[in-house]
Amino acid sequence: MREIGIGVLGFGTVGAGVVEGLFKNGDLIAGRSGIFPVVKKIADLDVQSDRGISLPADILTTDAAAVIADEEVDIVVELVGGTAIAKDLTELALRLGKPVVTANKALLADHGAELYALADERDTGIYYEAAVGGGIPVLRAQREGLIGNQIESIFGILNGTCNYILTRMEREGLPFDDVLADAQALGYAETPPDLDIDGIDTAHKAVLLASMAYGAAVPMEACPTSGIRGLSKVDIANADELGYRIKLLAIIKRHAGSVELSVEAALVPKAAMIGSVNDSFNAVFMKGDIVDDTMYYGRGAGRLPTGSAVISDIMEAAADVLHEAGSPIGITMMREHASLTYLSADEVQKRCYLRLTLADEPGAMAQVMNVLGEHSINVASVIQKELHPNGAVPVVVLTEQAREADFCGAIETISSLAICKAEPIRMRLEDFEDESR
Ligand code: HSE
C-alpha cells in the first residue's frame, strides 16, 4: 500500500466535504486503488469554526503557501474559490511541479489556457471534475467515454441553485428571494449568489464543456449569457399550462464551420427527460456522432456531492504522481491548439415563447401578427383568454424556428406600437423533437 499526501486549501463547504469523504471512505478507496490518500494539512483563514469533523492536531493552519511547500504534500486541492488568491496559489503549486485538483470553474474559464500551459511546462496537471456538474463524473465521461466522438450537441442544466429555485417556485408558488435564501443555507450557492442567478456559473461550466468537446480554450465572450433574475411567476404558470417547464440551460451545438453557445432560461417540455431534472439536480445531455444520445444526471451542488468529484480527481492525480505520468494529456484539452469560429448570436435559429400585453381594442392582435410575419416569424400557437385586467389583454405566442435577429427586430417594433401596453417578455423554447432528451 502506498500513501499520497494531500494539502487542502480552503476549509469551507466543499473543503469540509472532501475531508469528510476521505476520512469516511479512505480505507475503501485504498482497498480499490492500492493508494491511501492522507490529508496532511488544511489551510483556511478561519481555523476556529467547528465543521463537525474531528481533525488530527496541528493539521489546520492559516498559511496556504506553507501547505503547498510542505514536503509531505504531494497533491494540492484548491477550494478557496474566486480567481485572485486561488490563481496565485494554483500557480505556486504548479511551479513546484505539484498537481492541483480544483472545483474552481471561474478560475479555469477565465485563466485555463495559461494555467494549463504552466502545468505542462512543469510536467504536472490540473484536475477539475468537480468544476462541472458537481458530483456527476461528466468530464470524465466526456474525455474518456466519448473520446471517439465528434460532439454534436450538449444541453446542460448545470446550476443547482437555479434549478432548486425554479423547481420550488413552480411547485410551491414561492417568491424568488425566499427560495434563494434556502439554497444558500443548503450550501448550493456561490458567493455571491449573483454568479448563479445571472447565469455566469452556468456559463463557466458551459465553456469548460465546450473546451473539452472542441479542444480549444473557449472564451466567456463566446457564450451569450442571461440568468433567471426577475423571472415572473406568470411565465412559470404559462409554461406549466402549455406543458413546459422553465429551466436555465447551457446550449452548445456544432454547426458546419461554427459552434453555437449560450446560457439562457428556456421552456422545455415537461414530458422530455430534461424537463424532469428538478431540485438541485444537474443533467448533461451529450450527443456524439458515433454514440448518439447520452445523459448524465446527479447532484450538481452541495458539500458531499462536490467532495465526491474532488476525491475522484485526487485519486487520478495520485495515480499519475506515483506512475510519474507527468502532465495528463487527457485532461489538458483546454490548451489553445485549435481556434474555433462561433455562430453569431443574431444567426441562431430558435423557437420562442412571447408574452405580450396588448390594448383591448380591435386590430391589436392583427398588428402583432403583421409584425411577426414581416420578420419571417411563423406562429405555432396563440393563447388569449377572456380575462382582461385593466383593459389590457395578456397574449401568449409560441413561434416556430426563426433567426434571433428577426426576433429582436420584431420585438423592437412591437414594443413601439401604441397597442403594446407592457415590455414584451421573450424566452427560448427548446422542444427536443428527439424524444430521448
Ligand atoms: N453554485 C453552484 C450551483 C455550485 O448552484 O450549482 C456548484 O458549482
Side-chain angles (χ1 to χ4, degrees):
M1 178 73 61
R2 289 177 289 181
E3 262 192 26
I4 197 91
I6 319 293
V8 178
L9 313 180
F11 201 30
T13 304
V14 178
V18 171
V19 173
E20 183 181 337
L22 286 173
F23 284 1
K24 179 169 184 274
N25 286 349
D27 288 331
L28 178 78
I29 295 166
R32 286 176 177 159
S33 64
I35 305 169
F36 199 94
V38 184
V39 180
K40 297 286 186 184
K41 287 282 178 193
I42 304 171
D44 199 284
L45 292 178
D46 173 7
V47 291
Q48 299 301 333
S49 298
D50 181 11
R51 275 86 167 179
I53 304 169
S54 97
L55 295 171
D58 298 331
I59 200 171
L60 263 176
T61 170
T62 55
D63 190 346
V67 171
I68 293 169
D70 192 315
E71 283 189 356
E72 292 201 313
V73 168
D74 303 301
I75 296 170
V76 174
V77 180
E78 184 281 304
L79 300 169
V80 173
T83 55
I85 298 167
K87 180 165 183 271
D88 294 344
L89 295 174
T90 299
E91 286 173 343
L92 191 59
L94 294 175
R95 278 200 198 95
L96 292 176
K98 296 192 182 185
V100 175
V101 173
T102 182
N104 194 332
K105 48 259 157 187
L107 178 68
L108 295 176
D110 290 346
H111 304 289
E114 57 185 294
L115 291 173
Y116 273 100
L118 177 59
D120 242 9
E121 187 190 306
R122 300 300 160 117
D123 206 23
T124 188
I126 303 178
Y127 303 74
Y128 56 95
E129 182 61 66
V132 180
I136 313 170
V138 64
L139 292 177
R140 200 159 268 113
Q142 187 186 17
R143 70 186 156 85
E144 291 178 3
L146 302 186
I147 193 164
N149 286 262
Q150 181 64 265
I151 303 296
E152 302 290 2
S153 64
I154 304 175
F155 290 90
I157 293 178
L158 296 171
N159 187 268
T161 303
C162 287
N163 211 33
Y164 178 83
I165 292 173
L166 291 170
T167 303
R168 290 200 56 203
M169 281 178 77
E170 183 197 329
R171 276 190 197 145
E172 301 168 50
L174 290 172
F176 185 90
D177 290 340
D178 291 11
V179 195
L180 172 60
D182 285 352
Q184 287 177 286
L186 287 163
Y188 300 156
E190 299 298 306
T191 313
D194 308 45
L195 290 172
D196 296 297
I197 59 189
D198 291 329
I200 299 158
D201 177 78
T202 303
H204 287 145
K205 296 165 181 169
V207 303
L208 293 181
L209 283 168
S211 298
M212 186 72 86
Y214 303 116
V218 173
M220 284 290 281
E221 303 78 69
C223 185
T225 299
S226 52
I228 62 167
R229 193 190 288 272
L231 183 71
S232 164
K233 286 190 330 191
V234 175
D235 296 308
I236 291 182
N238 284 342
D240 183 50
E241 203 173 315
L242 291 161
Y244 293 87
R245 265 189 194 116
I246 297 174
K247 295 290 177 193
L248 184 64
L249 288 189
I251 300 172
I252 301 166
K253 292 185 189 175
R254 183 174 160 270
H255 299 281
S258 68
V259 174
E260 172 190 340
L261 261 112
S262 71
V263 169
E264 56 197 300
L267 277 73
V268 299
K270 282 194 253 184
M273 277 181 173
I274 203 163
S276 318
V277 179
N278 290 316
D279 300 300
S280 74
F281 284 94
N282 282 195
V284 181
F285 298 79
M286 229 178 305
K287 182 172 187 149
D289 61 345
I290 300 176
V291 70
D292 205 20
D293 284 301
T294 63
M295 167 186 172
Y296 312 87
Y297 172 87
R299 288 220 178 264
R303 146 191 178 140
L304 288 173
T306 312
S308 165
V310 171
I311 290 170
S312 76
D313 273 349
I314 289 174
M315 296 318 294
E316 185 167 342
D320 287 346
V321 168
L322 294 172
H323 297 136
E324 296 179 11
S327 184
I329 201 77
I331 301 179
T332 52
M333 290 192 203
M334 279 182 62
R335 287 169 305 178
E336 202 155 6
H337 56 77
S339 64
L340 294 177
T341 304
Y342 301 98
L343 189 67
S344 140
D346 276 353
E347 297 307 319
V348 171
Q349 294 273 344
K350 57 177 79 161
R351 293 188 66 189
C352 277
Y353 157 97
L354 310 177
R355 174 162 60 87
L356 308 171
T357 308
L358 304 183
D360 190 7
E361 62 185 52
M365 180 78 85
Q367 288 186 49
V368 168
M369 292 300 142
N370 271 340
V371 174
L372 293 176
E374 281 160 8
H375 287 85
S376 314
I377 298 168
N378 198 14
V379 170
S381 71
V382 182
I383 298 171
Q384 177 189 313
K385 294 192 177 159
E386 282 201 27
L387 189 66
H388 298 173
N390 311 319
V393 186
V395 172
V396 172
V397 178
L398 300 187
T399 76
E400 300 291 3
Q401 292 235 353
R403 276 170 71 241
E404 171 64 13
D406 289 323
F407 280 116
C408 291
I411 292 295
E412 195 181 331
T413 308
I414 290 170
S415 302
S416 70
L417 297 173
I419 50 98
C420 180
K421 294 300 178 195
E423 192 58 33
I425 303 294
R426 176 167 71 100
M427 256 180 279
R428 186 167 181 155
L429 185 154
E430 277 291 334
D431 54 10
F432 300 101
E433 279 165 7
D434 178 348
E435 64 191 16
S436 58
R437 288 191 293 244

